[in-house]
Amino acid sequence: DVKVTQSSRYLVKRTGEKVFLECVQDMDHENMFWYRQDPGLGLRLIYFSYDVKMKEKGDIPEGHSVSREKKERFSLILESASTNQTSMYLCASTMDRENSPLHFGNGTRLTVT
Amino acid sequence: GEDVEQSLFLSVREGDSSVINCTYTDSSSTYLYWYKQEPGAGLQLLTYIFSNMDMKQDQRLTVLLNKKDKHLSLRIADTQTGDSAIYFCAEIGGGNTPLVFGKGTRLSVIA
């Protein structure tokens, strides 16, 4: 089974802090994604990557950056946390973005105070 | 662009059947997916259907696909309290976005 691991289940950060969310997958997937989930808004794509050192903006990239130095790891960075970034962050990966489903981690619930 | 619509809430009694509906826009989608999200967890792939199929059954789950109307449904037979969750419909999108998700249907099962 594919395992996508997000390093933290819960995080509490202060406004203005730089926040790092880590995600690791163990199935040699080339494609990795970061989503944000909010009630009533569903999943919104922040950033994705189709290869090492490659990144593409999703629908809501503002205030974020990403890092993909190794194939198995995809990090999401909140440059300066704000209270409106309090949310659930979901990482996902897939082998084939055309014909395969996404496999999700358990999510990181971030609270910014 | 692609859009996936689903109702936000559904409430059923334990033992009844649940039907969660979804409409999508991209007729070129090869696969359509149903994901389940339990409280505090990530999304778990529940089932999927290939676009050349009309129906797929997997134990208590039945997926129906009407390509003409771009309508997808998930039926859960003999719904249990453990089925309480948010259910997401998703289709393969075009361009760089592989999956487009609906906003999710929150299923509440009343004992």
Side-chain angles (χ1 to χ4, degrees):
Chain A
D1 275 354
V2 177
K3 192 161 177 62
V4 179
T5 304
Q6 294 183 231
S7 54
S8 304
R9 290 297 301 273
Y10 301 95
L11 271 181
V12 180
K13 297 290 181 181
R14 292 188 182 276
T15 301
E17 279 193 83
K18 193 168 186 174
V19 182
F20 294 84
L21 303 182
E22 305 287 345
C23 175
V24 176
Q25 49 90 8
D26 66 355
M27 284 301 290
D28 205 34
H29 286 173
E30 292 184 345
N31 309 285
M32 297 188 74
F33 307 84
W34 275 106
Y35 288 88
R36 172 179 170 161
Q37 182 182 14
D38 299 287
L41 297 178
L43 275 72
R44 292 181 289 169
L45 183 63
I46 305 172
Y47 264 98
F48 56 100
S49 169
Y50 290 157
D51 202 351
V52 174
K53 296 193 186 294
M54 176 272 178
K55 57 188 177 185
E56 290 278 350
K57 292 180 180 179
D59 299 319
I60 51 164
E62 296 79 17
H64 306 86
S65 62
V66 288
S67 172
R68 185 102 183 264
E69 294 296 319
K70 292 185 178 182
K71 194 174 187 179
E72 67 269 21
R73 185 180 297 270
F74 191 36
S75 303
L76 177 70
I77 302 141
L78 283 65
E79 298 292 343
S80 176
S82 61
T83 53
N84 63 10
Q85 291 178 309
T86 291
S87 187
M88 171 75 106
Y89 290 85
L90 293 164
C91 175
S93 73
T94 185
M95 175 63 73
D96 175 357
R97 64 183 184 267
E98 297 281 332
N99 296 301
S100 297
L102 295 183
H103 300 270
F104 283 85
N106 279 329
T108 296
R109 184 163 293 283
L110 172 68
T111 302
V112 182
T113 60
Chain B
E2 300 85 7
D3 198 15
V4 177
E5 298 282 343
Q6 36 181 147
S7 54
L8 292 182
F9 300 99
L10 176 66
S11 183
V12 300
R13 291 197 178 278
E14 190 176 16
D16 287 351
S17 291
S18 308
V19 179
I20 303 171
N21 294 302
C22 168
T23 57
Y24 62 96
T25 56
D26 189 349
S27 58
S28 65
S29 293
T30 50
Y31 289 94
L32 294 124
Y33 300 93
W34 283 105
Y35 282 84
K36 176 183 180 182
Q37 184 182 33
E38 296 181 354
L43 275 68
Q44 170 193 359
L45 180 66
L46 197 59
T47 187
Y48 65 93
I49 188 166
F50 190 53
S51 59
N52 68 353
M53 299 169 66
D54 298 324
M55 184 180 87
K56 179 179 179 181
Q57 187 147 6
D58 182 3
Q59 298 182 336
R60 291 190 298 120
L61 304 178
T62 303
V63 180
L64 295 177
L65 176 60
N66 180 330
K67 283 197 73 173
K68 176 175 166 288
D69 295 337
K70 297 192 182 71
H71 183 265
L72 182 73
S73 68
L74 173 70
R75 179 177 179 270
I76 305 172
D78 187 24
T79 311
Q80 303 297 306
T81 54
D83 296 323
S84 294
I86 302 175
Y87 292 81
F88 290 90
C89 168
E91 65 165 343
I92 295 284
N96 276 332
T97 306
L99 277 187
V100 179
F101 288 88
K103 288 185 169 50
T105 299
R106 184 179 293 275
L107 173 65
S108 298
V109 182
I110 306 163

